[in-house]
Amino acid sequence: MLPGLLFAAVIIYFIAWDVADVRLNRLVERFNDARSVAANLLNPDMITISANGEDKICSWGCMYTYLGDRIAGRTPEGLIRVSDNMLDIVGRMKLLPAAAWQLALGLAKPGGKTNTFVAGSMIETIAMGLMATIFSTILAIPVSFLAARNIMSRVPGGTIIYYVTRTILNIVRAIDTIVWGLVVIVWVGLGSFAGVMALTIHGIAALGKLFSEEIEHIDNGPVEAVTATGANLFQTIRYAIVPQLIPSFLSYTLLRWDINMRSATVIGFVAGGGIGFFVIETVRLGGYQQYAAALWTVAVVIILVDYISERWRTSILQDQPPTDNRGSRPALRTLRTVFYVIVAVVVFAYCWNLTD
């Protein structure tokens, strides 16, 4: 029996080799091409140096020489600045017609122009991920209760609603975000809004499943206690279920923000918004150093988002008893809360406008 299995394995191996079109000779023949591309990716177009009236990319070696000249008191080869490619990624100041709010506050005259920050593709990607997370979380919360067996079993006909909701969530979640992007662009057209819609649709299904499972695993003790006092379904949810869900819901929301940030960099390939569109255009033109700048920027942003999300999730899940600080500096706490609310509103409004 063993020889037969080995013979079958050998046959399958050779069939797979042929189907996969493995050509080991290409690893040697095209090594120089791969090395050239790798060199470009390791030297991104982030800094431009102007020397003898000519602009050129200042790679890491150039930056090392420039800083060495500065430290040693020597005259550098030329002047350096942030490259136009990097400004396309991060954003730049442009002279544009004054906005309505600037006219209303008297900061500009009618028909005048002001220096306005125009967000780059990376900022647009961050806004896409943030807006998709907000929308998907808000919509996933009510859906998750419809997909929780322990909640719907208390409602007449709730079992049918439970199975229908679960089925819909499974189907929507099984379809990749890129596919949703292709569908949505037919609906709303190319642009960042299509990317937000695609991420939101998939996010609702993913968060709805996670939220519903958390609801199904709550402690039934508080539920039975509140029900015994004569509370109706909505009062039971408000006072016995919601307090148990807040930490895990916040944790999953932050995790989804992390996922949406990664997905937003890809969804631009089909939806036409954010850093994905920038990447596909530079690759088509063979601008690997320009693409490398986007790659490095995305990596830095993803690392920061992952770090922030991890810290927030850790603080949420510490499960420490709350500290009563009502007697200490109430005015300071109030001002801090107002500040956070204002910042949140401003960020939301900016992202709303940026994602169109």
Side-chain angles (χ1 to χ4, degrees):
M1 184 176 178
L2 182 58
L5 292 176
L6 291 175
F7 182 71
V10 170
I11 292 176
I12 294 174
Y13 176 80
F14 278 105
I15 292 175
W17 182 285
D18 184 65
V19 172
D21 194 24
V22 177
R23 300 182 186 180
L24 297 178
N25 59 304
R26 292 187 177 183
L27 296 176
V28 178
E29 294 173 356
R30 301 190 178 184
F31 178 76
N32 289 332
D33 295 336
R35 184 171 60 180
S36 176
V37 172
N40 287 332
L41 294 179
L42 292 175
N43 293 280
D45 182 6
M46 293 183 174
I47 303 295
T48 296
I49 185 168
S50 300
N52 300 323
E54 182 180 354
D55 291 344
K56 62 180 181 180
I57 298 173
C58 187
S59 59
W60 300 120
C62 168
M63 283 296 299
Y64 178 79
T65 303
Y66 179 86
L67 292 176
D69 291 338
R70 283 291 189 183
I71 294 173
R74 297 187 296 267
T75 302
E77 179 186 359
L79 299 176
I80 64 171
R81 69 176 192 278
V82 179
S83 68
D84 292 337
N85 179 71
M86 195 63 189
L87 293 177
D88 290 337
I89 295 172
V90 178
R92 67 179 76 208
M93 300 298 296
K94 287 186 177 180
L95 195 62
L96 298 175
W101 65 270
Q102 292 175 316
L103 297 175
L105 295 176
L107 300 177
K109 298 179 180 179
K113 294 185 177 182
T114 59
N115 281 322
T116 305
F117 176 75
V118 179
S121 54
M122 190 67 248
I123 305 297
E124 190 176 348
T125 299
I126 295 174
M128 288 170 57
L130 183 60
M131 295 300 291
T133 302
I134 294 173
F135 292 151
S136 58
T137 302
I138 292 174
L139 296 174
I141 290 175
V143 171
S144 64
F145 282 91
L146 298 177
R149 185 192 295 270
N150 57 339
I151 299 297
M152 299 312 298
S153 61
R154 300 170 177 266
V155 181
T159 303
I160 297 176
I161 298 175
Y162 164 77
Y163 281 110
V164 171
T165 306
R166 277 283 183 172
T167 302
I168 294 174
L169 290 180
N170 290 333
I171 294 173
V172 174
R173 195 175 68 256
I175 301 175
D176 193 82
T177 311
I178 293 181
V179 178
W180 282 119
L182 293 172
V183 174
V184 171
I185 59 175
V186 180
W187 183 11
V188 301
L190 291 170
S192 299
F193 182 51
V196 172
M197 288 289 293
L199 292 170
T200 300
I201 292 172
H202 192 274
I204 293 172
L207 286 176
K209 177 181 181 297
L210 295 173
F211 288 172
S212 65
E213 291 176 349
E214 286 296 323
I215 295 172
E216 290 178 344
H217 290 86
I218 61 173
D219 182 6
N220 287 323
V223 177
E224 294 173 356
V226 173
T227 304
T229 63
N232 58 32
L233 177 64
F234 295 103
Q235 290 172 331
T236 302
I237 292 174
R238 166 64 181 84
Y239 294 103
I241 297 178
V242 171
Q244 298 186 56
L245 298 176
I246 290 177
S248 56
F249 274 28
L250 288 175
S251 179
Y252 282 132
T253 299
L254 292 174
L255 176 62
R256 190 65 203 181
W257 178 41
D258 192 347
I259 295 172
N260 282 340
M261 279 300 306
R262 290 175 169 84
S263 299
T265 62
V266 179
I267 200 68
F269 282 94
V270 295
I275 199 70
F277 185 72
F278 174 87
V279 167
I280 197 171
E281 287 298 308
T282 53
V283 171
R284 284 174 177 173
L285 298 174
Y288 291 106
Q289 287 184 280
Q290 288 72 35
Y291 162 70
L295 186 66
W296 285 64
T297 306
V298 168
V300 171
V301 171
I302 293 298
I303 290 171
L304 291 176
V305 169
D306 182 75
Y307 176 76
I308 294 171
S309 298
E310 191 274 334
R311 290 295 299 271
W312 284 355
R313 288 197 300 269
T314 301
S315 62
I316 289 171
L317 298 176
Q318 280 179 347
D319 197 23
Q320 295 180 352
T323 304
D324 188 3
N325 293 322
R326 286 176 294 180
S328 60
R329 300 183 180 180
L332 180 60
R333 285 201 331 275
T334 302
L335 289 175
R336 184 172 57 186
T337 302
V338 171
F339 173 76
Y340 288 156
V341 170
I342 293 174
V343 170
V345 171
V346 170
V347 171
F348 179 83
Y350 179 75
C351 291
W352 176 284
N353 181 68
L354 185 59
T355 54
D356 198 21

